[in-house]
Amino acid sequence: MSALSLARGMLCLIAALTVVLAQAFATEDRQAKFEAWEQTAQRAEEALQSGMASTQAFEILRAELAGQRSEAEALANSGSISVRTIRAQLLTLGAPPGKDGSEPANVASRREALTNALALAEDPVLSARQAYARANVLIEEIDRLVRSRSASDLLERGPSPLDPSSWTSAGADLARYMEGIAVDTRRSLRLTGTDVDFTSERLIPALLLIASAILFPLWLGHVLLVRLERAVRGRPGSGRFFLHAALVHLLRLVLSTSGAALFVVAVVLLDIGPTTAVNLTGGVLAGALGLVLMNWIANILFAPNQPSIRLVELSDRLARTCYWLAMVFGLALTQEAIVDGAAEDFAFAPASISVLKGFSILVGCIVLAGLSRVLLAVAAERRAAVQAEDDTPLGPEFLAFLARVIQALAVVSLLGALIGYVPAGSEVMSPIIGTLALAGLAYIVHHALMVPVRVALGDTNSTAGLVSVLLGFALTVAVIPLLALTWGARVSDVSEAWRIVREGFDLGGVRLSPEVLVVLAITFLIGLFITRWIQRIVDRIVLPRTRIDPGGRNAIRTGLGYVGIIVSALLAISTAGLDLSNLAIIAGALSVGVGFGMQAVVSNFVSGIILLVERPIKEGDWIEVSGFSGIVKKIAVRSTRIETFDRHDVIIPNADLVAGTVKNMTLSSHVGRMIVPVGIGYGSDVGKARELMLSAAREHPAILSKPEPQVFFMRFGNNALEFELRCFLKDVGTEIGTRSDLLYTLHRVFDENGIDIPFAQSDVTIRNLDQIVAVLGRHGDTSGVDQDGKPFAT
């Protein structure tokens, strides 16, 4: 054995040992995970069976189960790759032999090895799927239990805030709470050192910070902002105006936030926060930040000091009212945050909680009542402005309905709190305020994002309107999770909903998820863009250099569009990884119903394709169909539009053009025959009249010389000798004008050469048009009927 062979053998042995060790470690790691999952699932089952665990404990347990469920899903997906690979290898061996059949030994050995490997690969996948299903069921049970507890707590009736004993209890609890805070504060001051050190090192700097916050960001900042708002210049809606207004609003947010930050730094610098009021302090800070945000939103939306930068179109009185209502909203939320923080620091009696929260509910109801009055006033103003009912989504009727809903919710919240359902009343009041704040913030974001679009495209551009609608839809989708949290949903509920949406739903064996839909939409839009681009290049560069008529160009352009759309759809489906074979049966069943219900539409669609391919008619042709005569203006998929000579548009279904009888005067050429009936009086020179008619036809530039014009003597009429002048036109579309020219010419030459033109049903021979008008005038009517009821004929 050579050294090279020995080295190769050693390398193979090392590689095999590495694979075996890796599999062993992976198996041990998977086994440890399975054991951990089993322990967590058992704890969850025991807790659910006993029902004694707290809601917080169930939330922690749910978070563990959710994490393990994600791990199990990932393990099952990674193992599925190995399973699919082995199954693909088994398929290459063909179907296994029957009971009495046999196969070559090498194939049988490979089949046996792959079957054993498949069993080993499927074992952890099955275990992971079982763990996933078990965790999923336990999570659903925990969610159901937590929701049940939340509903019970919400509908639990407590002491009424109107009960005098509740006020006594609230006063006593507040006194004890404040006394505890004072004792804790004094203890904290004693631990900080001497009074002189505390005063010089902490108290004075903290007071200076508070004074600075009040003087500079709040007072001087407010005066500066008012002047800057009044100094905003530019045309409303222009880029310059938007930039100035945005800088003012940004400066207001910075000044307000800096003022709140100075207060926070002052509190931290004092370092005398009592441990008995930690949550109270947090509630105060959260309420202050909420008040700052509410002030910022209200100034942008209602701008009481400068109507030109006001986003919501209101009168000055209503704008100021809405601004102060928003500020009171913020105060109500701040009060509720303070009460919640104090309730976590101190064990208030239920009667005390009812009084404290009942006061915030009362303030909120008052604000909602004021808001409903504002909405009714705005609805009345809009009705007066348009002097009619406005059916727009945000019209006066909708605003009036919204005002009534807000009034009803305020009344329900207040009445519920007064009879003891304070938690339920609070859960009705707070979400309304949060929803209005989110709506205002979303409106501001939408306006800020749409301003550059409108500046670039213009307000009247339809593309800007479409972008506005799409942006509004995207913001609505983005705000939905926040609205759910505002209305009492847990974070786990939102995450669970997002997981379900992310995984998608099964439609006939096809898994549709947001990622798949996004890939599908993007790929299709890219294909559609490329199709339109190719259509434009072919239409503007390639086709003008050919001799194809406009109708053929339109057929090619339309055909390219259909092909591009079909190819784009197929590429999008392939890129998204969708297997539509499972939907074949469903599509076959639906096609029967669609075939009966939409057979007319399908027939017109197929007929439109036939028209574009065979081109029995094309744009610009003069056709007669279904009793209408006109010029073909457009051949679409479902119908064809023709324009009559009266300038009327007629829509003809394509099936009528394919299955019916169509007279196309310009299909092969524009040459067409024109027949002009001519009558001359008895006793006129017939030969001379014939020469005059032929001469007039030969001299007209729109009439062909070959075939030559001809005159035929048709019959002896009652009052005239009837002839027909037959000739061929270069363009049959000029028939009416050419006929008129010939008749004018014949009237003139007949008059010059003594050829009588008879007047039907009359003994009068008229030689010029003035005599015709005179005769009609003598009969007293120009409608074509004489006094005896006999028709005139000119």
Side-chain angles (χ1 to χ4, degrees), residues 17 113 131 503 655:
L17 290 175
E503 290 182 356

Side-chain angles (χ1 to χ4, degrees), residues 83-394:
V83 172
R84 290 197 299 269
T85 303
I86 297 174
R87 286 178 178 171
Q89 295 177 17
L90 278 172
L91 288 175
T92 60
L93 299 178
K99 183 177 181 181
D100 298 330
S102 62
E103 60 182 351
N106 58 343
V107 176
S109 61
R110 288 188 179 184
R111 188 185 302 278
E112 182 180 2
L114 288 173
T115 303
N116 295 331
L118 180 61
L120 291 175
E122 284 182 339
D123 184 63
V125 174
L126 293 175
S127 300
R129 289 176 179 173
Q130 290 175 353
Y132 175 87
R134 187 179 183 183
N136 202 30
V137 171
L138 292 174
I139 287 174
E140 291 177 357
E141 290 298 322
I142 291 175
D143 288 339
R144 184 186 60 79
L145 179 61
V146 171
R147 293 192 193 101
S148 177
R149 288 184 176 182
S150 299
S152 300
D153 295 339
L154 189 64
L155 298 177
E156 183 179 359
R157 184 178 179 183
S160 173
L162 297 179
D163 191 350
S165 60
S166 300
W167 288 85
T168 304
S169 175
D173 285 345
L174 284 175
R176 287 195 296 271
Y177 182 48
M178 298 304 296
E179 183 180 357
I181 293 176
V183 171
D184 201 1
T185 303
R186 287 194 294 269
R187 185 184 304 112
S188 177
L189 289 175
R190 286 196 298 269
L191 295 175
T192 55
T194 62
D195 294 340
V196 177
D197 295 336
F198 174 76
T199 303
S200 60
E201 295 179 4
R202 298 186 181 182
L203 182 59
I204 295 177
L207 292 176
L208 289 176
L209 287 174
I210 294 174
S212 300
I214 295 175
L215 180 62
F216 294 102
L218 299 183
W219 183 62
L220 291 180
H222 175 73
V223 175
L224 175 63
L225 287 170
V226 170
R227 292 186 177 181
L228 289 177
E229 284 178 348
R230 294 173 178 172
V232 173
R233 295 290 183 269
R235 180 179 58 82
S238 62
R240 178 183 178 186
F241 181 85
F242 168 74
L243 181 61
H244 289 177
L247 290 176
V248 171
H249 295 316
L250 183 62
L251 181 60
R252 171 176 282 105
L253 181 62
V254 170
L255 291 175
S256 302
T257 306
S258 61
L262 288 176
F263 276 112
V264 174
V265 173
V267 173
V268 173
L269 183 61
L270 285 174
D271 194 21
I272 59 173
T275 56
T276 57
V278 175
N279 294 307
L280 175 64
T281 305
V284 171
L285 295 179
L289 293 177
L291 195 60
V292 168
L293 182 61
M294 188 66 72
N295 175 61
W296 183 67
I297 294 175
N299 270 288
I300 296 177
L301 292 176
F302 308 117
N305 300 311
Q306 177 57 284
S308 62
I309 62 174
R310 187 178 298 156
L311 291 189
V312 181
E313 296 181 2
L314 296 174
S315 62
D316 293 343
R317 181 182 62 83
L318 291 179
R320 285 191 293 270
T321 302
C322 289
Y323 171 78
W324 287 112
L325 285 175
M327 296 308 298
V328 178
F329 265 134
L331 290 174
L333 289 178
T334 302
Q335 179 192 357
E336 187 171 0
I338 292 173
V339 171
D340 290 338
E344 293 181 6
D345 292 332
F346 184 79
F348 285 94
S352 303
I353 295 295
S354 297
V355 172
L356 295 176
K357 288 199 171 184
F359 183 73
S360 62
I361 292 175
L362 177 61
V363 174
C365 288
I366 294 174
V367 174
L368 288 180
L371 178 61
S372 64
R373 292 177 63 87
V374 170
L375 290 176
L376 291 175
V378 173
E381 287 183 357
R382 291 193 177 182
R383 287 196 191 97
V386 299
Q387 296 296 329
E389 184 177 356
D390 191 358
D391 293 331
T392 58
L394 296 179

